[in-house]
Amino acid sequence: MTITERKKQMELYQGLTKTPDDFLAYWRKKDLRVTGEMNIQPVPYCNHFAIYEKMVIPSSSGDIYARCIRPAREGKHPLVLMFHDINRGIRGWHHMTRFIAQGYAVIALEETICTDDWKTSPELMNIEDRYERATILAKAACGLPFVNREKIVTWGEGFGGGLAMVVSAMLPENSKCAVLHPMPADFRGMCRDVPETVLSRMDYVDLVNFAPLMHGKLLMGTALLDKIAPADSQYACYNRAVCDKEHLIYPKYEHERINFFENEMLKFMHD
């Protein structure tokens, strides 16, 4: 098929994911709490316009680690919640500092790296635990005194994009969400030789089932040559989302960082 024909076909694809009857109840009964006082330690950095910190958040899902940069001036600031891909480490302090120039604070989750192929062993990724930690971090961040809860942006790539979507769906705040090739999605359509017992559990963590719960604006970027998070699965998420949304397509890219999308994401933050 041509690119136009393929896009037209995927624009109709809803995915094969099944939505469990108790999907909402399952996630609403989760114990997603901060269970103690945050440990926040300053990080020495030669930038008089920002404050750099490392955070440890005790929670019902164990200790959660994050990096935080916030403007040095007083007052409440819009916030970017940043999530990294599952096979890449957290973005560096220099990358995070770009948001300070636009007046945002930024808090980035620091998660363990996993190299397992999600399409053959999805149960080994501890997806549910990762969703819980990301949501607890977001709730804790929204309660910080320097955060403007009316201006929250969730942002991530790959699996981090998946976390950004989950957090956007789970937060009561009307957050914006910018994601590049989000995963994991449409397990039933993308996985091969996976038992039904595993797939039925994966339905509870499939992004396709979180997409309809998103209530803010969504900006999604999809690379058509992506073999890790196939374009079909991303379209399934996008097509099931009912919020205000925009989809940017990059025909010649794989599962990689796309500077063109990051430029659009920075515009989206201030739209």
Side-chain angles (χ1 to χ4, degrees):
M1 291 186 290
T2 65
I3 291 174
T4 301
E5 290 171 336
R6 187 180 175 206
K7 285 170 60 180
K8 187 172 293 186
Q9 181 188 60
M10 289 188 292
E11 284 168 0
L12 301 174
Y13 183 62
Q14 295 288 316
L16 302 181
T17 298
K18 298 177 182 179
T19 304
D21 293 336
D22 63 340
F23 181 79
L24 270 176
Y26 180 83
W27 281 100
R28 283 176 176 167
K29 70 181 181 182
K30 287 283 187 181
D31 183 15
L32 305 175
R33 295 178 297 115
V34 176
T35 56
E37 188 175 346
M38 290 190 207
N39 181 0
I40 301 178
Q41 298 294 330
V43 175
Y45 216 93
C46 295
N47 184 347
H48 300 297
F49 298 99
I51 297 170
Y52 294 71
E53 297 169 321
K54 282 201 169 187
M55 311 170 71
V56 182
I57 304 168
S59 78
S60 50
S61 290
D63 286 346
I64 299 170
Y65 297 87
R67 295 179 183 180
C68 173
I69 308 178
R70 54 191 173 92
R73 64 181 182 276
E74 296 292 329
K76 292 184 178 291
H77 313 290
L79 174 69
V80 175
L81 289 165
M82 181 189 295
F83 303 98
H84 62 82
D85 207 344
I86 198 165
N87 61 349
R88 295 191 183 119
I90 188 172
R91 287 283 195 115
W93 294 101
H94 284 291
H95 176 87
M96 293 170 61
T97 302
R98 68 172 61 187
F99 298 108
I100 300 297
Q102 299 196 62
Y104 281 74
V106 55
I107 295 178
L109 177 65
E110 193 164 359
E111 267 284 14
T112 56
I113 297 174
C114 175
T115 57
D116 293 304
D117 185 344
W118 69 272
K119 286 179 284 186
T120 56
S121 303
E123 71 278 14
L124 299 180
M125 291 170 59
N126 301 316
I127 299 172
E128 193 167 322
D129 292 342
R130 293 173 186 268
Y131 285 5
E132 291 178 11
R133 288 194 291 273
T135 303
I136 294 171
L137 171 70
K139 290 184 175 182
C142 288
L144 292 169
F146 59 84
V147 171
N148 181 350
R149 298 178 64 155
E150 296 181 0
K151 294 184 178 180
I152 304 293
V153 178
T154 65
W155 149 239
E157 307 164 302
F159 190 85
L163 295 180
M165 290 182 66
V166 169
V167 166
S168 185
M170 298 283 280
L171 280 181
E173 286 77 11
N174 193 28
S175 60
K176 289 184 177 181
C177 179
V179 293
L180 180 63
H181 37 244
M183 57 174 274
D186 193 29
F187 284 106
R188 292 179 179 272
M190 300 301 133
C191 295
R192 298 289 180 266
D193 302 320
V194 177
E196 174 61 28
T197 53
V198 173
L199 290 175
S200 61
R201 292 200 306 273
M202 294 299 102
D203 286 334
Y204 287 93
V205 295
D206 198 310
L207 292 184
V208 173
N209 284 330
F210 283 95
L213 305 180
M214 300 177 68
H215 45 274
K217 291 184 178 180
L218 169 65
L219 176 68
M220 182 182 293
T222 294
L224 293 187
L225 299 181
D226 195 333
K227 296 180 178 62
I228 297 175
D232 306 70
S233 68
Q234 297 178 52
Y235 266 93
C237 288
Y238 185 82
N239 293 338
R240 288 210 198 181
V242 294
C243 58
D244 185 356
K245 59 187 180 179
E246 181 181 2
H247 202 177
L248 302 178
I249 308 302
Y250 301 93
K252 297 181 180 180
Y253 285 84
E254 300 183 32
H255 194 82
E256 57 189 298
R257 286 173 177 158
I258 302 175
N259 289 332
F260 296 110
F261 180 80
E262 295 203 13
N263 291 339
E264 294 302 320
M265 184 267 292
L266 293 173
K267 296 177 189 176
F268 171 73
M269 288 167 57
H270 284 294
D271 180 19

